[in-house]
Amino acid sequence: MKFQNKTGVISLLQQYYVLPILLYTTLGFIIYYILYATQIVTAIPAHETLLKWDATFYASIKDNNYSFVPNSACNAGFLPLFPYWWKATGFNALGISILNGLVYFLSLCCLCKQLKPDILHLGLFMSLPFMFFLITPLSESAFFLFGVMMIYGIKQNKKVYIFTGIFLASLTRASALFILPAAIGMSLMLTPVISSVRNVNWREILLIYLAPVLLGVLLVSVLQFVQTGNFFAYYQTQSVAWGRKFGWPVLPMGRATEVWATRLSYFNFWLGCFVSVAGLACLVRWLLHKPLTISNYTLFAIIYLVMSFFSVVFFNPEWFYDQKIGYNATYLNGINRYMQATPFALIVVLWIFSLPKFKPVYFIPLLIGTYLVWLCVYPVFYKHIQYTLEMSIVTGFLLAYWLYHYYRWKPVGYLIIIGSFILQGLMFNNFMTGIMVD
């Protein structure tokens, strides 16, 4: 009996990928400790170092409820679930960060049980440079949990989990709004184009996907009205104070922050372009009456990331001033969190590495396409060898992933994981020392 119980526990741990996730987490901590011991990074997690950037707004909601100041950045531009959950715990910034890390760990275990990823590919996801947001006093960890609930519901066709996950997500992050186009796209494109409008279960879309989003938006608006007297406090703060309203992108899009954070923002811009091309390919295939060969939750994840990318490109202000060019351009604010610190990113990573190995000749159009993308974010990269080398570093990151995709050499994959964890440590240090890495 004791042997059977022991076997059952081991089997359960294997099903939930507990050991691989624990090992990768430990690796991340060891790498950060080495960086700190060698004084490459200088910050250690503490209440003072973690209470930075958006965390200060969440803390102000936790301590003083909502306040609205017209035409000014204020805490009305954030959603309530995470700060009030934080308030209920009674923790400081370090305590809630540890709890967020635990929520992320358990959520990822549940997600892995559903997706059954290759262990190396799981490491490629966990080591992404901006996954550290999940262990900070921010709402990413809660949104990750609710995203896992949605994925489980979609995969297992359990509507209660879908509804609950979407509702809670809509109280956590505004990106929950992207769930609706993802749901509609998933429902339409998995049925033949001729009969899609007739065969799609619009009642399910309205009741299971739209209703929880609307309910969440309504509750946030009512809460802010009670506390600030303004029913539209969230929208006005986002659109006026931070410039988050629709506008055509002004090239070159870019960042004004620490050099590595800027380069990695370009990396995520490339990823957004790649996912957008993948989404467009799915749309074209569907319109040409060709069946899609991906799962419903994979299609959902692709469309969700496309919408996240579009929100950065089309709903960001022209705050970025490029000294080399001499005018303001669209600022890539939020692209790092939106494209990486989400469960939908893991689905897309697994989908990419499930694709057949592409032929070596495909490296040429990939490289050409990459440099066309660089023209959108750094159009002077070809004018001076220094600029070219700066962008070649980012291209080198991409090339490492491409080589692993083609050859599937595990040593290359694990080297990418180690290198990515190093970058993750540098970005975490930037966050704690007050450098914008969002």
Side-chain angles (χ1 to χ4, degrees):
M1 181 67 70
K2 182 181 289 188
F3 176 76
Q4 290 179 342
N5 290 338
K6 185 176 180 180
T7 304
V9 170
I10 294 174
S11 175
L12 194 64
L13 294 176
Q14 290 176 339
Q15 290 178 36
Y16 284 90
Y17 285 70
V18 173
L19 184 57
I21 294 174
L22 189 60
L23 287 174
Y24 283 129
T25 302
T26 304
L27 176 61
F29 280 120
I30 291 173
I31 289 175
Y32 193 86
Y33 176 78
I34 294 172
L35 293 174
Y36 182 77
T38 54
Q39 299 185 337
I40 296 175
V41 301
T42 58
I44 58 173
H47 173 76
E48 295 76 15
T49 57
L50 289 167
L51 199 60
K52 295 288 194 300
W53 301 106
D54 290 354
T56 60
F57 289 106
Y58 285 123
S60 69
I61 298 172
K62 170 180 72 76
D63 296 332
N64 304 303
N65 294 325
Y66 277 110
S67 62
F68 175 66
V69 182
N71 304 321
S72 299
C74 58
N75 66 22
F78 296 85
L79 300 187
L81 190 146
F82 170 69
Y84 285 113
W85 159 247
W86 183 0
K87 183 175 184 178
T89 66
F91 292 152
N92 64 7
L94 178 60
I96 195 63
S97 297
I98 294 172
L99 181 59
N100 276 348
L102 181 61
V103 170
Y104 163 54
F105 183 95
L106 296 175
S107 301
L108 185 57
C109 287
C110 294
L111 183 60
C112 287
K113 185 178 185 297
Q114 291 297 311
L115 302 179
K116 298 177 174 55
D118 179 273
I119 292 176
L120 196 152
H121 299 160
L122 173 62
L124 292 174
F125 169 73
M126 290 184 65
S127 64
L128 288 172
F130 296 96
M131 295 302 290
F132 75 86
F133 279 117
L134 291 152
I135 55 171
T136 60
L138 298 172
S139 59
E140 266 65 29
S141 181
F143 190 82
F144 194 96
L145 170 63
F146 305 142
V148 171
M149 291 177 64
M150 292 180 231
I151 294 165
Y152 175 76
I154 293 171
K155 195 170 186 297
Q156 302 296 332
N157 195 27
K158 295 189 175 181
K159 296 177 176 54
V160 172
Y161 285 89
I162 301 174
F163 185 97
T164 305
I166 294 174
F167 172 65
L168 295 175
S170 67
L171 297 174
T172 307
R173 290 190 62 81
S175 51
L177 294 173
F178 308 150
I179 292 166
L180 188 58
I184 294 174
M186 175 186 69
S187 301
L188 286 173
M189 294 168 66
L190 291 177
T191 56
V193 63
I194 297 177
S195 59
S196 59
V197 176
R198 183 177 67 253
N199 291 344
V200 165
N201 189 342
W202 292 104
R203 181 182 178 187
E204 177 180 305
I205 290 176
L206 292 174
L207 295 180
I208 305 302
Y209 292 96
L210 178 61
V213 171
L214 294 179
L215 182 59
V217 171
L218 178 62
L219 286 179
V220 171
S221 299
V222 170
L223 175 63
Q224 292 194 335
F225 176 78
V226 170
Q227 295 184 1
T228 70
N230 189 334
F231 197 77
F232 301 102
Y234 176 85
Y235 170 76
Q236 290 179 11
T237 302
Q238 285 284 336
S239 61
V240 177
W242 283 306
R244 294 298 301 268
K245 53 187 176 182
F246 179 80
W248 296 107
V250 178
L251 301 179
M253 291 170 277
R255 297 296 302 269
T257 184
E258 185 267 343
V259 60
W260 280 106
T262 300
R263 289 168 178 167
L264 292 173
S265 296
Y266 296 159
F267 176 92
N268 283 317
F269 184 85
W270 185 95
L271 179 61
C273 292
F274 177 84
V275 175
S276 299
V277 170
L280 180 62
C282 290
L283 178 61
V284 170
R285 188 177 180 86
W286 176 66
L287 291 174
L288 293 176
H289 307 279
K290 296 181 180 180
L292 299 183
T293 56
I294 59 176
S295 64
N296 57 349
Y297 61 88
T298 300
L299 182 59
F300 184 94
I302 290 173
I303 299 174
Y304 177 88
L305 285 186
V306 170
M307 296 304 300
S308 298
F309 178 62
F310 283 2
S311 76
V312 172
V313 173
F314 293 99
F315 287 86
N316 261 336
E318 297 169 23
W319 281 348
F320 173 66
Y321 181 79
D322 193 318
Q323 294 179 344
K324 301 182 184 71
I325 298 173
Y327 58 83
N328 286 350
T330 300
Y331 192 61
L332 293 176
N333 188 43
I335 193 168
N336 296 326
R337 275 199 283 177
Y338 287 179
M339 298 305 297
Q340 290 190 9
T342 165
F344 305 108
L346 174 58
I347 295 175
V348 172
V349 167
L350 299 181
W351 169 71
I352 290 173
F353 287 107
S354 70
L355 296 174
K357 297 179 183 180
F358 53 82
K359 298 177 181 179
V361 70
Y362 291 168
F363 278 99
I364 297 174
L366 263 176
L367 201 58
I368 293 173
T370 296
Y371 279 104
L372 289 176
V373 171
W374 296 159
L375 284 172
C376 296
V377 293
Y378 201 53
V380 297
F381 77 89
Y382 62 90
K383 290 187 176 181
H384 193 282
I385 185 63
Q386 178 184 348
Y387 305 154
T388 304
L389 289 175
E390 288 177 7
M391 295 311 297
S392 294
I393 293 173
V394 190
T395 307
F397 295 158
L398 293 169
L399 186 61
Y401 284 98
W402 298 346
L403 288 174
Y404 172 73
H405 188 282
Y406 178 72
Y407 290 106
R408 304 298 168 96
W409 290 340
K410 288 190 175 182
V412 173
Y414 285 114
L415 284 175
I416 293 173
I417 291 171
I418 292 171
S420 195
F421 266 128
I422 292 173
L423 292 173
Q424 188 179 122
L426 295 175
M427 294 303 102
F428 192 23
N429 179 73
N430 284 346
F431 174 88
M432 291 189 289
T433 54
I435 298 173
M436 177 174 282
V437 293
D438 191 359

